[in-house]
Amino acid sequence: MKKTIQFLLLFISTGLLFWLLPWTVKLGTNEASFYPFTYYSCIQKAFIQVKADVDGVKYMDLAGQEYTMEQYDSLLPMLNYRQLLKDGRLPDSINGRPVSGPIIQAQQFTFRFNARDFNTKTINLNPMFESISGRVSLESPEDLFTISKRIRFIDAETNTENREKSELFQAALNKRGFHPPAQWVAGNPNARKPYDEGWFILDAQGQLFHMKMVNGKPFASNTHAGDSLRIRTMKTIETPNRRMYGFVTDNNNQVFYLSDITYKPVHLPIESFDPASEQLIIMANMFYWNVSVSRDKHRDHYVLDNQNLSLVAQHRETREQTRWEKLHPWIFPVVLELTSGNSTFVYPRLIGWSGKAFILHVVLFTGLLAVRRIRKQRITVSEICFTIFFGICGLIPILLLSPQHRKNRSIIYLQ
């Protein structure tokens, strides 16, 4: 029993050190490392970057040609049109197409999908707005709906179900071939949006259904996007030209947008996008879509033609590693973290597997073996294993919890 307790203490201490020691080293060595802001110029037909360093902010292209701030504004008129309007420098036409503030705004939108949007727990209570209210702004309803095996509308004040409304909306879903239970619901619960297109619901058979409320009545439709795609996730968007309902990803990490009216999935010609671990940003204008995917070790930029979404240009950029990223593979074979920037969940994660740390482990074991031989102390099998496999995180508990250490402390205490 005594040896079992000692082993448990040794194991727990090692696990805690795999969390505390890397956190301490990271706190002392980590530094900011950012990608430059990159945008495709419809004037120069090239990528323009904004880089910040100790010398200040620089505007340059990929060839290294630097520009002034005024030149930068002119090279990216779709991004800086407000400044050009203020300065009176916005041209009447670009690439043979007339431009103005309203024309540019009508074709612009920004879409972001972070891994935290995917790795989070959502509350299955959502507002069903009136899509055609006749009012300029949307009004928040008095009830919220939840859906699993069936849809239910719950009065927010009395916490009671409106059975008549629930049965009405459930009948509309059943008529379109909905198979419960619902896997997830996608939509925008914020009333401060330009218009409302309701919610998208993925049923048990992978079919995507569209549901909204029109003049107090349910509207339900099977998008049939699930006929050609194994849909993994969706995030809706409200664009000024109402060109799409939102973006979906499938199980092959391909990205599509769901077109307005027809619900046709339109493929984006990018390599891939994993919603569980990567970040997707789309900055669209009247000429191009600037698509960037931030991955583990690099960021990919894709430029798509606004009309047919064909690939126009592509660029991959990397950033310099921080001191922590360079150092920790040589110290720790693995790092234990409880939180992650890609998730809202708190649980133990083993990340950063590296074989380089075993060089340090061998050095530490050699030092421990030499000290024990000098002091004529024996070394146990558990001490060998913990030092070889866990390195410094295993050596510290060994030194503190070893019988020789406790004996020395007792002698010092008696003296």
Side-chain angles (χ1 to χ4, degrees), residues 152-188:
R152 296 185 298 145
F153 285 85
I154 309 298
D155 187 277
E157 184 175 353
T158 63
N159 199 30
T160 57
E161 180 183 356
N162 185 336
R163 290 190 174 274
E164 181 180 357
K165 188 175 182 180
S166 300
E167 292 173 358
L168 190 65
F169 276 77
Q170 185 63 45
L173 282 174
N174 293 340
K175 185 178 178 180
R176 297 302 178 185
F178 180 82
H179 290 82
Q183 297 187 46
W184 47 254
V185 176
N188 184 359

Side-chain angles (χ1 to χ4, degrees), residues 251-264:
N251 288 347
N252 295 321
N253 292 333
Q254 296 299 301
V255 183
F256 304 79
Y257 81 77
L258 208 62
S259 60
D260 190 17
I261 302 177
T262 64
Y263 302 111
K264 179 183 177 181

Side-chain angles (χ1 to χ4, degrees), residues 300-331:
D300 288 326
H301 292 276
Y302 306 89
V303 180
L304 312 181
D305 186 274
N306 192 348
Q307 301 301 317
N308 54 27
L309 292 188
S310 61
L311 184 63
V312 175
Q314 185 175 349
H315 170 62
R316 172 171 291 184
E317 58 190 15
T318 58
R319 59 174 177 80
E320 293 186 4
Q321 286 187 320
T322 63
R323 285 177 293 176
W324 160 251
E325 291 172 332
K326 296 177 182 177
L327 186 62
H328 81 81
W330 296 94
I331 302 177

Side-chain angles (χ1 to χ4, degrees), residues 216-242:
K217 303 296 182 180
F219 167 87
S221 175
N222 185 349
T223 67
H224 291 286
D227 293 344
S228 57
L229 304 176
R230 295 182 62 189
I231 299 174
R232 184 179 183 187
T233 185
M234 178 179 183
K235 187 173 183 180
T236 60
I237 184 175
E238 295 83 26
T239 60
N241 59 2
R242 302 200 178 196

Side-chain angles (χ1 to χ4, degrees), residues 172-218:
L173 282 174
N174 293 340
K175 185 178 178 180
R176 297 302 178 185
F178 180 82
H179 290 82
Q183 297 187 46
W184 47 254
V185 176
N188 184 359
N190 194 339
R192 300 183 64 180
K193 52 186 176 180
Y195 59 90
D196 175 68
E197 283 294 349
W199 299 85
F200 289 83
I201 307 167
L202 192 71
D203 75 352
Q205 295 187 351
Q207 287 292 337
L208 187 66
F209 289 80
H210 182 203
M211 168 161 279
K212 60 182 178 179
M213 185 165 63
V214 181
N215 293 326
K217 303 296 182 180

Side-chain angles (χ1 to χ4, degrees), residues 1 9 171 249:
M1 179 63 69
L9 286 175
T249 61

